[in-house]
Amino acid sequence: MRDLVRRIDAATPTSRDRALDALRACAILGVVLGHWLVTALISDSGTVHVASPLHYLPQLTPASWVFQTLAVFFMVGGLVGARGHAAARARGTTYRTWLAARLSRLFRPVAAVLAVWCVVAVALLASGVGVATVQTLGKLVLSPMWFLLVFAALTAATPLVARLHPLWPLAVVLHVDLVRFGLGGPAWPGWINVAAGWLVPYCLGAARARGSLRDRRTGWVLLLGGAATTVALVLWGGYPASMVGVPGAAVSNLNPPTLASATFGLAQCGAALLLLGPLRRILRRPAAWAAVALLNLSAMTVFLWHQTAMMAVTAVGLLAGAPLPGLHTVPDGGGWVLARLLWLPVFAGALLVCWAAFRIHEQGRRHRRGRTRVVREGRPATAAGAERV
């Protein structure tokens, strides 16, 4: 293990900003843990449906503020995308080649998930499982993929949006919400915010890439201003306090994004910018950096298979013959929460099995003379993936 840690540290260029990888890793882990904590599969009259502890226990709402971390992911994506596109142009790389390299790592592991779940769905239906149950399970697998489509679209638009000020997409979100909520307009304009809402942190990252947002004062303005605006929107604007969707709620801050989710994302991005310095100091330690680097090598695999891991554990738990607390029971009390926390290591173990089986689809690994190498955007790199832009 120590040898691996040393090799990863030695393979990383001194110019690489390790803190960005740490932010990306934290964003992915936040989404994974959030889904595991707020998603319960309940069997009712032979049909499986999804329940959320946030519906029964609204006092748990602050958990959604911690684990809804997609804004940080999009900010890092905007920074890396803008920087990578600029570097590609300087090397004479065409836009098409650059984009293909950027997107291939996103969508290679998607094919594996879809292939496996097509087989699973057919097998479940053939064994007599109800269509409603299969739809519920399929939705849990597919719903996290929506952000990949949005992220891919914003990545493709990087040359157009790299110099766009974040206030422009924020203004679009504001006006869409004024139409929807202030003027009693139809709901469909809200889907404009799927692009505009996530374009806000993406543009923040692009601004950072071109040299803006460098002083700590900017981070504090985003953090405090975004947090204060979000609190005001929740207390006096009628927005829900939860930053994730809650079954049965009239309005979701996430599906589609609202002004409250956009301002909350600004606060998260401000906090992330303030953490860059401390993270850089921490990640000078080879062991800390090795953990972050290894997670980043398989970030999409972890993201795409975490719901499958949870469902697999839930299904195996049915062999006990009785509902298991925190796994099959209604999430309506503190006992469920404590039991679910105890299940998290089991979910992580199942995810580790999925990672071992399917990580090759993301990493593009190949074995040559006993040495593992990782292909990144057409360039071979050592195990740390150090050359990835």
Side-chain angles (χ1 to χ4, degrees), residues 332-349:
D332 57 358
W336 184 93
V337 176
L338 292 176
R340 177 49 67 108
L341 291 174
L342 295 177
W343 282 109
L344 293 184
V346 184
F347 295 161

Side-chain angles (χ1 to χ4, degrees), residues 177-187:
D177 276 15
L178 283 176
V179 171
R180 292 174 63 200
F181 305 127
L183 302 178

Side-chain angles (χ1 to χ4, degrees), residues 61 217 252 276 353:
T61 295
R217 183 175 59 183
S252 167
L276 285 175
V353 173

